[in-house]
Amino acid sequence: METRRLQFLLELSRHGSMRAVADVLGTTTSTVSQQIAVLARETGAPLLEPDGRRVRLTPAGRRLAEHAVTILAAVEAARADLDPQAEPAGMVRVAGFATAVRRSVLPAVAALAEHHPRVRVAVSEYEPAEALAALLADDVDLALVYDYDLAPATVDPEIGVTPLWTAAWGLGVPAADARRVRGEHTLAVFDAFRDHDWIGNSRNDADEDVVRTLASIAGFTPRVTHRADNLDLVEDLITATGRGVGLLPVGRRTGPGVTVLPLSDPDLRQRAFGCTRRGRAAWPPLASMLRLLAK
């Protein structure tokens, strides 16, 4: 099997058409078709089947495309090991939550453009569960996710995890009600707002998990009334209702109607991670991205 032909099959699995593969690889549709036909003869298995006027991968083709990700990554890693000065090249598909994209991915993209111009990055804004599902489906190469230290998430054994950064989080409350709390003890802060309307995340369970965990320790069940995946909207819900409370980063510049109360004993910290399929983090373009994100 000629490994370079695997790239044609892999791109077809990702883009779905010969024309798209030709555009991505800078060649012609006839070349794509010929290379995949040769690959089918080399493997001894049909890789394509008709799908109306187009073609799609057979089950064998899909399985080989999954293997191709690991095989091509291993080839690139071997080349880099033999020639550490070789220039990384390729498309890195990243899925991450909005804060991580702004804080880490965009600066990394700028750095790659300057120092490794042959590495391209495709960015999608996903919440953690969505990003991990895309990673396991091989729709992305890197998933940026988060949890909280007081409610750690479980990770699929097929996934390798790289810690990126942590950040202190507190409780966003109506500014007029902030004075009712004395001190920063987490359970006292939560207890002071037990009768308020709590705000969860509409696309991720981590925020609600940690809220329910801390509220349970404080002796009550929170009334999760609102859900939003945008921090600005969380603030709007706090001020508009006058009864909303929700998790927000400590030090975040908020509007005049919102105060973020720090939490201590126990502290609450959000933890961000970069996730890859096991065995693929050594692929030079992906490794370059991970190094930049971990700075």
Side-chain angles (χ1 to χ4, degrees):
M1 187 191 308
E2 175 58 57
T3 56
R4 68 185 177 85
R5 296 192 180 99
L6 291 173
Q7 188 68 53
F8 289 87
L9 184 70
L10 178 58
E11 295 300 341
L12 183 59
S13 74
R14 289 173 171 173
H15 299 287
S17 76
M18 298 281 190
R19 167 53 57 193
V21 175
D23 291 342
V24 168
L25 298 181
T27 185
T28 64
T29 54
S30 61
T31 298
V32 176
S33 178
Q34 291 166 7
Q35 292 298 309
I36 293 179
V38 173
L39 182 62
R41 291 197 295 271
E42 290 176 341
T43 60
L47 303 178
L48 301 179
E49 60 187 9
D51 182 22
R53 295 184 177 181
R54 304 175 67 181
V55 295
R56 64 186 177 193
L57 298 187
T58 63
R62 291 195 297 271
R63 291 198 300 274
L64 184 57
E66 292 175 359
H67 286 297
V69 178
T70 302
I71 292 168
L72 294 171
V75 170
E76 288 295 326
R79 287 173 177 162
D81 185 54
L82 295 172
D83 183 8
Q85 304 305 314
E87 178 67 17
M91 171 72 78
V92 180
R93 300 163 300 161
V94 181
F97 59 104
T99 299
V101 170
R102 292 191 187 99
R103 171 175 176 164
S104 300
V105 175
L106 296 184
V109 169
L112 286 171
E114 181 178 356
H115 300 292
H116 300 298
R118 295 178 62 197
V119 176
R120 296 175 296 154
V121 182
V123 180
S124 299
E125 187 269 311
Y126 286 167
E127 283 295 308
E130 300 164 340
L132 290 174
L135 181 68
L136 289 172
D138 194 37
D139 291 331
V140 300
D141 304 300
L142 174 63
L144 302 182
V145 304
Y146 71 87
D147 68 5
Y148 294 94
D149 56 352
L150 299 181
T154 58
V155 179
D156 190 293
E158 291 188 28
I159 293 175
V161 178
T162 301
L164 298 180
W165 40 262
T166 65
W169 275 55
L171 187 64
V173 304
D177 294 340
R179 65 178 67 92
R180 72 164 64 189
V181 181
R182 294 183 179 180
E184 299 177 359
H185 192 286
T186 298
L187 301 186
V189 172
F190 267 57
D191 184 63
F193 294 94
R194 63 165 58 216
D195 294 326
H196 279 57
D197 296 329
W198 291 73
I199 304 167
N201 189 311
S202 59
R203 293 165 58 199
N204 187 46
D205 295 333
D207 300 74
E208 194 166 320
D209 286 346
V210 75
V211 164
R212 292 189 182 279
T213 297
L214 291 170
S216 177
I217 297 172
F220 71 98
T221 299
R223 184 176 60 247
V224 179
T225 305
H226 312 293
R227 288 181 172 84
D229 71 341
N230 180 285
L231 297 183
D232 291 332
L233 184 53
V234 171
E235 282 195 43
D236 291 342
L237 287 168
I238 292 171
T239 55
T241 66
R243 296 283 301 169
V245 295
L247 299 178
L248 288 172
V250 172
R252 172 182 170 84
R253 181 177 295 179
T254 62
V258 177
T259 297
V260 180
L261 298 175
L263 302 174
S264 64
D265 192 26
D267 299 342
L268 177 61
R269 301 195 70 83
Q270 187 187 73
R271 308 182 302 179
F273 305 93
C275 298
T276 60
R277 295 284 290 272
R278 288 201 177 276
R280 299 180 184 175
W283 181 46
L286 184 52
S288 298
M289 170 64 82
L290 283 169
R291 281 194 297 271
L292 290 168
L293 294 177
K295 285 186 176 181

